[in-house]
């Protein structure tokens, strides 16, 4: 039993190293997003000004919000990776959830603004007065769509791998920007072909899509901030892992709660009455180590015993 507990401590250390590496990856992805967003903003603004494209200039202003959003995510990820202290003994993981919550609100406002602007353009007939933009605006819009869609998949992969709500929100903001650029492209093509109404119609469709995504991100972030359970399937898996540890007679109960992108677990076990106090302590260490090795998202596992 002593050997199992020692190996368990080594596995726990490995899990902590994985979490540290995950935080470093999240920071790296956020920095890449920040640099790309600055480049995209500058490219759209310059092309819009020199090509006389109102749609592209408006889209550049929207892209400027992505720069601020990425800074929020970067701050949230950095704070979430801080070690526990006296004032925050459970850690800072919820800071990332707060960052995702802020992004969800910003994303909703972005979508609503696009939709309102499109609706007003249709009602007032303003879209009919749009000037025909140059070829540079068309090429820039296409390049921005490709770049932002690539950033969506790049950030989404990291977000899913790290269970990061903030990175997932950033990914969807990249897609929203790609869709916004698609609306700008529709307006540019429409203006060059005499079909300017394509721009506001695309804007309304984008508004609906973006607002739906922002709602999903908002709901997921709230769940991580109100101690929601990790789910029945997760708790069943935790129970199976504990049952696989030697000298565990029965797993009486399993409770879990989300804490940012991490999970706290509480287990109540029964062990054979013949075990000594030292042996029970070793079983406790082994169960905790097995759970944290099998589930890297688990931040801590509290194990208690009840008589069989």
């Amino acid at each position: 039993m002593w050997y199992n507990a020692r190996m368990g401590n080594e596995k726990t250390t490995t899990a902590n190293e994985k979490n540290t590496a995950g935080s470093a990856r999240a920071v790296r992805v956020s920095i890449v997003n920040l640099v790309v967003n600055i480049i995209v903003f500058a490219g759209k603004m310059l092309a819009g000004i020199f090509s006389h494209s109102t749609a592209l200039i408006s889209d550049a202003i929207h892209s400027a919000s992505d720069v601020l959003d990425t800074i929020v995510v970067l701050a949230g990820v950095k704070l979430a990776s801080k070690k526990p202290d006296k004032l925050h003994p459970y850690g800072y993981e919820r800071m990332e959830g707060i960052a995702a919550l802020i992004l969800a609100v910003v994303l909703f406002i972005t979508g609503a603004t696009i939709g309102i602007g499109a609706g007003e353009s249709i009602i007032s007939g303003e879209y009919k007065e749009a000037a025909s933009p140059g070829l540079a605006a068309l090429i820039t819009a296409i390049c921005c769509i490709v770049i932002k869609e690539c950033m969506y998949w790049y950030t989404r992969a990291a977000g899913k791998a790290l269970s990061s709500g903030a990175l997932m929100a950033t990914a969807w903001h990249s897609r929203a920007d790609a869709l916004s650029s698609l609306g700008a492209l529709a307006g540019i093509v429409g203006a060059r072909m005499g079909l300017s109404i394509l721009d506001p119609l695309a804007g309304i469709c984008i508004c609906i899509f973006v607002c739906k995504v922002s709602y999903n991100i908002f709901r997921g972030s709230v769940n991580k901030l109100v101690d929601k359970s990790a789910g029945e399937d997760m708790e069943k898996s935790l129970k199976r892992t504990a049952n696989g540890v030697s000298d565990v007679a029965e797993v009486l109960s399993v409770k879990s709660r989300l804490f940012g992108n991490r999970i706290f677990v509480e287990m109540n076990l029964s062990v054979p009455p013949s075990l000594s106090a030292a042996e029970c302590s070793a079983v406790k260490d082994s169960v905790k180590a097995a759970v944290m090795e099998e589930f890297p998202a688990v931040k801590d596992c509290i194990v208690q015993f009840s008589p069989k």
Side-chain angles (χ1 to χ4, degrees):
M1 296 299 296
W2 172 82
Y3 174 78
N4 288 339
R6 185 182 66 177
M7 292 298 292
N9 290 332
E10 293 176 356
K11 291 178 178 179
T12 301
T13 301
T14 301
N16 290 333
E17 291 174 352
K18 289 180 180 178
N19 291 325
T20 301
S23 298
R25 181 182 179 185
V27 170
R28 185 170 62 252
V29 170
S30 297
I31 292 174
V32 171
N33 271 276
L34 180 61
V35 173
V36 170
N37 286 334
I38 292 173
I39 294 172
V40 168
F41 162 71
K44 286 180 179 179
M45 183 60 73
L46 291 173
I49 292 172
F50 288 110
S51 298
H52 308 288
S53 173
T54 304
L56 201 56
I57 292 174
S58 300
D59 195 31
I61 295 172
H62 167 225
S63 294
S65 69
D66 288 351
V67 177
L68 298 176
D69 293 342
T70 308
I71 293 174
V72 171
V73 171
L74 189 57
V77 169
K78 290 288 288 183
L79 285 173
S81 64
K82 289 180 63 177
K83 294 181 179 180
D85 53 37
K86 289 184 178 180
L87 291 178
H88 303 86
Y90 295 101
Y92 289 82
E93 278 82 0
R94 279 182 173 160
M95 295 304 297
E96 188 178 335
I98 293 173
L101 204 63
I102 294 171
L103 283 187
V105 174
V106 172
L107 195 59
F108 177 82
I109 293 172
T110 299
T113 301
I114 292 172
I116 292 172
E120 289 178 347
S121 179
I122 292 175
I123 293 173
S124 65
E126 181 183 348
Y127 66 91
K128 297 177 183 178
E129 302 172 1
S132 179
L135 184 61
L138 185 68
I139 296 173
T140 300
I142 293 173
C143 290
C144 288
I145 292 170
V146 173
I147 291 171
K148 295 301 288 187
E149 184 65 14
C150 289
M151 290 306 301
Y152 162 75
W153 288 104
Y154 168 69
T155 310
R156 179 180 180 272
K160 288 182 72 68
L162 302 176
S163 298
S164 171
L167 286 182
M168 289 301 293
T170 301
W172 280 107
H173 212 138
S174 292
R175 172 155 283 184
D177 199 25
L179 291 172
S180 177
S181 296
L182 187 63
L185 178 63
I188 293 168
V189 172
R192 291 172 66 89
M193 297 177 59
L195 298 172
S196 301
I197 195 172
L198 289 177
D199 185 15
L201 288 178
I204 291 175
C205 294
I206 292 168
C207 166
I208 296 171
F209 178 80
V210 171
C211 289
K212 181 180 183 301
V213 169
S214 67
Y215 168 74
N216 291 337
I217 294 173
F218 183 88
R219 183 178 61 182
S221 301
V222 169
N223 286 337
K224 291 182 177 181
L225 295 174
V226 296
D227 290 341
K228 183 184 177 183
S229 159
E232 185 177 353
D233 291 340
M234 179 64 173
E235 292 182 352
K236 286 181 179 178
S237 298
L238 290 165
K239 187 174 183 179
R240 281 196 299 270
T241 298
N243 274 322
V245 175
S246 176
D247 288 330
V248 173
E250 184 181 358
V251 179
L252 301 176
S253 67
V254 176
K255 293 181 181 179
S256 65
R257 61 187 177 93
L258 298 176
F259 189 85
N261 62 342
R262 306 294 296 280
I263 303 171
F264 279 101
V265 177
E266 295 181 19
M267 288 186 171
N268 192 9
L269 314 175
S270 65
V271 295
S274 59
L275 295 185
S276 66
E279 289 173 329
C280 287
S281 180
V283 171
K284 177 180 177 180
D285 291 340
S286 296
V287 170
K288 179 176 179 178
V291 167
M292 297 188 72
E293 168 65 16
E294 184 71 20
F295 307 97
V298 173
K299 184 177 178 68
D300 194 16
C301 178
I302 298 175
V303 181
Q304 298 176 333
F305 295 116
S306 292
K308 175 66 175 174

